Amino acid sequence: MRAKTLVSTTAAVAATVSIVHLAAQLTDRDGLADVTQVMLMPTVAGWLAARTSGVPRPRIVRRFLLGLGFSWLGDTAPRFLDGDAGFLAMVGFFLVAQVVYASAFWPLRQGSAAVRAPWSLLAYAAALVMIVALCAGEAGPLLPALLVYAGALVTTSVLAWGAGPVAGVGGVVFLASDAMIGLRAFAPSFDPPQEGFLIMSTYIAAQVLLAHAVAQHAQP
């Protein structure tokens, strides 16, 4: 009973922080959005830790929790840096997070999209080419970093299917969310309404879907 209460409590905290953050995005309350964004990944990590407590956590859970930690650094570090330094810090920490996520899903690669649906790699390749093509003109010297990061995103998304369809969808949503960040930075024509809300809502959804799939996979 205590474990169920802990799971319910951590889920409620994560949901509350997410809702407040997205509401702040919609109402342009930047201060509240900044504070709650820093709280997002710790609450997701707490929820995942609660769902996998009581037994030795398998490798996939430990790696995913580590990835959430680097995601938190990606959310937090740019607030202490200006201009390009802040952007590079964000990209750097999220790149490490994607590599860690990919390593978490790597043992499940026989169930990945590359094995179960090789034709889907064409869609991933098309998405990768489109993102890079739209951003290349303004990326300048950051183009190599953009290529590496886009490749890491696609790799994680492909491998995530090994943990089931929920994780696979989470990987696709993550790809879409980070693609919007790249387009916002390097494609001046990309200016959808409520851009910040779109990016953060898909970011939160992706992390929650992946964390849920990891928790399910860890169950006996």
Side-chain angles (χ1 to χ4, degrees), residues 21-22 41 169-181 194-210:
H21 176 76
L22 294 177
M41 290 307 102
V169 171
V172 172
V173 175
F174 216 143
L175 179 60
S177 179
D178 279 16
M180 285 190 284
I181 294 176
Q194 297 296 343
E195 179 182 3
F197 175 83
L198 287 175
I199 291 173
M200 291 308 301
S201 60
T202 50
Y203 170 64
I204 294 168
Q207 296 278 25
V208 169
L209 287 170
L210 290 171

Side-chain angles (χ1 to χ4, degrees), residues 126-215:
L128 179 62
V129 170
M130 183 181 300
I131 292 168
V132 173
L134 290 172
C135 297
E138 298 291 331
L142 295 177
L143 182 58
L146 175 64
L147 287 168
V148 172
Y149 186 58
L153 272 171
V154 169
T155 300
T156 298
S157 187
V158 170
L159 291 172
W161 289 97
V166 172
V169 171
V172 172
V173 175
F174 216 143
L175 179 60
S177 179
D178 279 16
M180 285 190 284
I181 294 176
L183 292 171
R184 179 175 64 179
F186 301 119
S189 60
F190 180 76
D191 188 25
Q194 297 296 343
E195 179 182 3
F197 175 83
L198 287 175
I199 291 173
M200 291 308 301
S201 60
T202 50
Y203 170 64
I204 294 168
Q207 296 278 25
V208 169
L209 287 170
L210 290 171
H212 174 68
V214 167

